[in-house]
């Protein structure tokens, strides 16, 4: 393990808690989302144990709106997209009630409620996909009784099921999309209990499976998380965290494993890329660790302050505090704000 004792983020430190009532009960990531809205408000969206969806104005440091009883059960996952065609911010909320709801967050109107998506098994994740001026919702697949597999499902905004994609015999715990401008293609990225995989949305077929052949165990887990990054040479990389304490860096378009870096001896959760070079990693040991991607060196500086494993990490660009980090731990009612004081 290489340690950098003089990191750029040596003075990255805790600033304040933004919430006292947020909810994170699963190690799935996206327990909250943050974005600059179409009307230029820096929103934090989270849920509480009362099944409310809450929007928090980070700049004004106050709650904007609380949508009470937005689901029949507690909410554990969110996704956001900017619908530029219609001038609105849309979010998906996912709940233990196994329903997915689509919201216009600018006026807090529920636009769609997808029910009875699966015959059995949980819906652990969902995301948006923007393709040729059309917007879709993609749900995760699930494995339920007698190894019956529910495929990933693709819906339009009228609630019509457009197609299905069977991923594997594993539960899918992470699903996201990636648009590659060079190839003019949309891809679906899936993390499940066995490996990562990607799908060519336009061709409706698998693109690559990202499997570490040197590992004789299923290293991935419920908290699989991944982000995309393009390096200085124009190579698109898929960066993945997993249960065995490794970060794996893949060539997205070939499926080749570039490298894997041992971060710690405990499970890894959420990932966040700051300054296009520093990878912040939520860990089971209650810390946030930092990996310098250019030389794959672990910074000699942990962010400490959570009481449990750190699940969700998100970057924000604050007009005064500049590039900052938000984080939330398991069973934690606080979303923490970290700043770089360099």
């Amino acid at each position: 393990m290489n340690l950098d004792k003089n990191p750029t983020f040596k003075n990255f430190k805790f600033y304040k808690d933004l919430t006292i009532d947020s909810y994170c009960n699963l190690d799935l990531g996206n327990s909250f989302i943050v974005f600059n809205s179409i009307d230029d408000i820096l929103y934090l969206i989270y849920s509480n144990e009362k099944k409310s969806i809450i929007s928090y104005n980070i700049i004004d440091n106050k709650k904007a709106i609380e949508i009470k009883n937005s689901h029949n059960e507690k909410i554990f996952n969110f996704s956001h997209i900017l619908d530029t065609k219609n001038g609105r911010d849309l979010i998906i909320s996912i709940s233990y009630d196994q329903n997915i709801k689509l919201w216009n967050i600018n006026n807090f109107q529920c636009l769609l409620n997808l029910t009875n998506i699966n015959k059995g098994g949980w819906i652990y994740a969902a995301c948006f996909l923007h393709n040729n001026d059309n917007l879709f919702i993609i749900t995760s697949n699930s494995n339920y009784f007698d190894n019956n597999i529910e495929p990933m499902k693709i819906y339009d905004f009228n609630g019509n099921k457009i197609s299905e994609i069977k991923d594997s015999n594993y539960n899918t715990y992470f699903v996201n999309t990636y648009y590659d401008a060079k190839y003019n293609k949309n891809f679906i990225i899936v993390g499940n209990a066995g490996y990562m995989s990607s799908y060519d949305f336009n061709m409706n077929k698998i693109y690559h499976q990202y499997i570490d052949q040197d590992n004789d165990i299923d290293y991935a887990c419920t908290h699989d998380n991944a982000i995309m990054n393009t390096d200085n040479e124009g190579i698109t990389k898929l960066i993945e965290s997993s249960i065995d304490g490794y970060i794996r860096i893949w060539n997205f378009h070939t499926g080749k494993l570039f490298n894997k870096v041992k971060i710690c001896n405990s499970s890894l959760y959420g990932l966040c890329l700051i300054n296009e070079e520093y990878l912040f990693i939520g860990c089971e040991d209650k810390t946030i660790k930092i990996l310098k991607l250019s030389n794959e060196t672990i910074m000699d500086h942990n962010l400490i302050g959570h009481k449990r494993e750190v699940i969700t990490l998100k970057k924000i660009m604050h007009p005064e505090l500049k590039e900052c980090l938000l984080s939330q731990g398991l069973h934690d009612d606080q979303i923490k704000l970290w700043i770089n004081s360099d």
Side-chain angles (χ1 to χ4, degrees), residues 7-211:
T8 301
F9 289 102
K10 185 176 182 179
N11 294 320
F12 215 92
K13 64 181 183 180
F14 171 74
Y15 186 65
K16 65 178 179 179
D17 290 318
L18 296 182
T19 65
I20 58 172
D21 61 345
S22 57
Y23 174 78
C24 178
N25 195 42
L26 288 176
D27 51 2
L28 297 176
N30 290 331
S31 58
F32 67 87
I33 50 176
V34 60
F35 56 89
N36 280 98
S37 69
I38 191 87
D39 47 359
D40 201 29
I41 296 175
L42 184 55
Y43 274 128
L44 166 66
I45 306 292
Y46 66 93
S47 64
N48 61 21
E49 292 204 59
K50 296 180 181 179
K51 300 170 286 188
S52 296
I53 295 175
I54 298 169
S55 70
Y56 182 90
N57 186 321
I58 294 179
I59 305 303
D60 292 343
N61 294 311
K62 65 180 182 180
K63 289 183 180 180
I65 296 290
E66 179 174 350
I67 309 173
K68 295 184 178 181
N69 296 311
S70 53
H71 279 267
N72 295 325
E73 300 290 342
K74 294 175 183 177
I75 305 157
F76 57 80
N77 203 274
F78 290 102
S79 183
H80 165 262
I81 195 169
L82 175 61
D83 180 9
T84 54
K85 181 179 180 181
N86 296 295
R88 57 187 183 176
D89 290 277
L90 304 175
I91 68 167
I92 295 168
S93 58
I94 308 172
S95 165
Y96 283 113
D97 61 17
Q98 302 195 50
N99 295 340
I100 294 177
K101 290 191 176 184
L102 173 67
W103 305 86
N104 181 343
I105 210 64
N106 306 112
N107 59 17
F108 299 92
Q109 178 185 2
C110 183
L111 304 177
L112 180 66
N113 183 16
L114 293 175
T115 62
N116 301 315
I117 296 172
N118 289 344
K119 297 176 182 177
W122 293 101
I123 304 166
Y124 289 105
C127 67
F128 291 103
L129 187 141
H130 186 192
N131 187 66
N132 297 328
D133 290 330
N134 295 314
L135 288 170
F136 302 96
I137 296 172
I138 302 173
T139 72
S140 61
N141 74 308
S142 63
N143 180 331
Y144 63 104
F145 306 109
D146 299 322
N147 288 324
N148 290 310
I149 306 301
E150 288 277 2
M152 292 188 291
K153 300 176 177 67
I154 301 173
Y155 293 88
D156 65 19
F157 278 18
N158 293 317
N160 301 311
K161 185 169 65 175
I162 304 302
S163 62
E164 295 183 346
I165 303 174
K166 182 180 178 181
D167 174 49
S168 71
N169 293 329
Y170 297 101
N171 281 317
T172 295
Y173 299 108
F174 171 85
V175 59
N176 206 345
T177 58
Y178 167 67
Y179 172 70
D180 193 296
K182 180 179 178 181
Y183 293 92
N184 190 28
K185 284 188 176 183
N186 278 298
F187 297 95
I188 303 170
I189 304 168
V190 173
N192 55 49
Y195 49 82
M196 300 291 297
S197 56
S198 58
Y199 290 82
D200 185 322
F201 176 78
N202 303 94
M203 299 295 292
N204 196 26
K205 67 178 184 179
I206 192 165
Y207 188 60
H208 286 296
Q209 291 180 333
Y210 306 90
I211 302 175

Side-chain angles (χ1 to χ4, degrees), residues 216-229:
D216 59 358
I217 61 171
D218 288 341
Y219 59 81
C221 194
T222 58
H223 41 263
D224 243 355
N225 209 330
I227 60 173
M228 304 298 298
N229 181 43

Side-chain angles (χ1 to χ4, degrees), residues 194-196 208-219 240 244 248 250 254-258 260:
Y195 49 82
M196 300 291 297
H208 286 296
Q209 291 180 333
Y210 306 90
I211 302 175
D212 185 355
Q213 301 292 350
D214 294 331
N215 209 356
D216 59 358
I217 61 171
D218 288 341
Y219 59 81
E240 169 204 1
D244 60 2
R248 287 173 172 80
W250 306 87
T254 68
K256 178 184 177 182
L257 178 62
F258 278 126
K260 57 183 181 181

Side-chain angles (χ1 to χ4, degrees), residues 2-4 7-8 278 290-292 297-302:
N2 296 322
L3 291 177
D4 187 334
T8 301
Y278 294 90
I290 308 171
L291 177 69
K292 187 176 181 180
T297 299
I298 301 171
M299 303 291 98
D300 187 24
H301 176 59
N302 295 335

